[in-house]
Amino acid sequence: MSGLSYLCDYGDSEESDTENTKPKKVKLRTPDLSGVALIPIENHVDDPELHDGRYRTFPHVRGNWASYAYFKYPRETSLLNLIDKLQVALASVGEVSHKCDDLHISISKTVVLKYHMITTFTESLREAFAKFESFELSFDSVDVYVNEDNSRTFIALKADFFSNKFLLKSTQIVDEVLAAFSLPKYYDDPSFHMSIIWFNGDCKQKILELIEKLNKTLSKHTENNREIVLIHKVHCKIGNKYFQFQLD
């Protein structure tokens, strides 16, 4: 039914003025929407069974793009061997451990971007890192972290002193870009680390009892497998879009 058919006839205005009568109250007909296709509001529900028991900690809102900047670490053989050894050492925790699929070091919090901001934001990052030099990334210890809602526990490798200097400088660059978009900056005293293994729930106390053993495993592995990893790109994930920018 045409929308024009819903317009009501209130009478001739000139005739009403002449007769100086009050306007009649006209009852509007109820529109027939039986043939109109309605678009339902999206109701996104996460199924933990599809993600090894993991829950989404960043709420899904249509039109919001979860975004963060990071340095990607290559999945080379030596590191994968170390992860296997650490998993063996963690067997006494009594919980199922999982290898992290995406090996990286975050240099920003996860923030919300609107679609129209994506191009300007990524171009700003590209320009900001145009003069940032490539650097070597290495680790000197194992530590344990729990996310904010205590739903997951992570075993991570902490960046060494030399790497920290570059990582701290990189977060300052990202913070300047975030500030231009009125988005939250990174942590005041960041602990730069790369998560390699995770558990469901809060297992921190159990793992801390093994932390010395884990660090000995790392130390022995590093002595026998000295590999230099050069970081020459900064990455940015925005929703399901990936961007990378070459360093100097």
Side-chain angles (χ1 to χ4, degrees):
M1 180 179 292
S2 170
L4 293 176
S5 63
Y6 298 142
L7 295 176
C8 297
D9 183 8
Y10 284 90
D12 189 292
S13 59
E14 293 182 358
E15 180 182 352
S16 299
D17 291 338
T18 302
E19 296 178 2
N20 194 27
T21 58
K22 294 182 179 180
K24 298 179 181 179
K25 293 183 179 180
V26 179
K27 184 178 181 180
L28 297 176
R29 290 176 291 175
T30 303
D32 180 11
L33 301 179
S34 59
V36 180
L38 300 179
I39 302 175
I41 297 175
E42 182 176 356
N43 185 17
H44 185 92
V45 178
D46 288 304
D47 185 357
E49 295 298 324
L50 301 178
H51 311 285
D52 296 316
R54 290 173 291 177
Y55 287 84
R56 177 189 291 271
T57 55
F58 197 91
H60 177 88
V61 179
R62 190 173 186 177
N64 287 353
W65 294 65
S67 314
Y68 66 97
Y70 61 98
F71 290 117
K72 192 171 184 177
Y73 197 90
R75 299 182 66 86
E76 37 85 13
T77 305
S78 174
L79 175 63
L80 298 180
N81 289 338
L82 172 61
I83 294 174
D84 289 338
K85 293 175 183 177
L86 292 175
Q87 277 192 303
V88 172
L90 288 163
S92 60
V93 173
E95 303 289 343
V96 178
S97 64
H98 307 265
K99 295 178 182 178
C100 293
D101 297 325
D102 182 20
L103 300 177
H104 69 275
I105 295 184
S106 297
I107 53 175
S108 79
K109 292 181 180 179
T110 301
V111 298
V112 175
L113 285 179
K114 297 295 184 182
Y115 182 80
H116 69 275
M117 301 165 61
I118 294 177
T119 300
T120 307
F121 182 82
T122 53
E123 285 303 316
S124 296
L125 275 183
R126 186 190 301 278
E127 293 176 5
F129 278 98
K131 301 295 183 180
F132 194 85
E133 60 184 305
S134 302
F135 64 98
E136 295 178 7
L137 176 61
S138 55
F139 307 95
D140 60 8
S141 62
V142 180
D143 209 345
V144 55
Y145 299 85
V146 180
N147 63 357
E148 293 181 1
D149 65 354
N150 298 321
S151 62
R152 282 202 285 171
T153 303
F154 298 89
I155 309 301
L157 301 178
K158 293 188 69 174
D160 64 11
F161 176 79
F162 179 78
S163 302
N164 259 281
K165 294 192 297 182
F166 286 90
L167 293 169
L168 183 59
K169 184 178 178 181
S170 69
T171 59
Q172 293 169 347
I173 291 175
V174 177
D175 279 349
E176 291 180 2
V177 175
L178 292 170
F181 288 82
S182 300
L183 294 170
K185 297 182 179 181
Y186 204 45
Y187 303 102
D188 292 334
D189 186 21
S191 174
F192 296 108
H193 62 277
M194 181 175 73
S195 297
I196 55 175
I197 299 171
W198 63 272
F199 293 84
N200 273 316
D202 185 349
C203 305
K204 185 173 183 177
Q205 292 306 315
K206 292 180 180 179
I207 296 172
L208 284 176
E209 295 175 3
L210 302 170
I211 202 69
E212 184 176 350
K213 182 179 180 180
L214 299 177
N215 275 293
K216 285 182 178 179
T217 301
L218 171 62
S219 179
K220 184 176 180 179
H221 174 85
T222 303
E223 290 176 3
N224 300 326
N225 302 273
R226 180 58 180 168
E227 294 186 13
I228 297 176
V229 174
L230 182 65
I231 302 298
H232 55 87
K233 293 180 181 179
V234 60
H235 296 256
C236 181
K237 184 175 185 294
I238 302 177
N240 60 354
K241 299 178 182 294
Y242 291 84
F243 302 85
Q244 60 182 25
F245 314 112
Q246 190 75 33
L247 301 180
D248 195 11

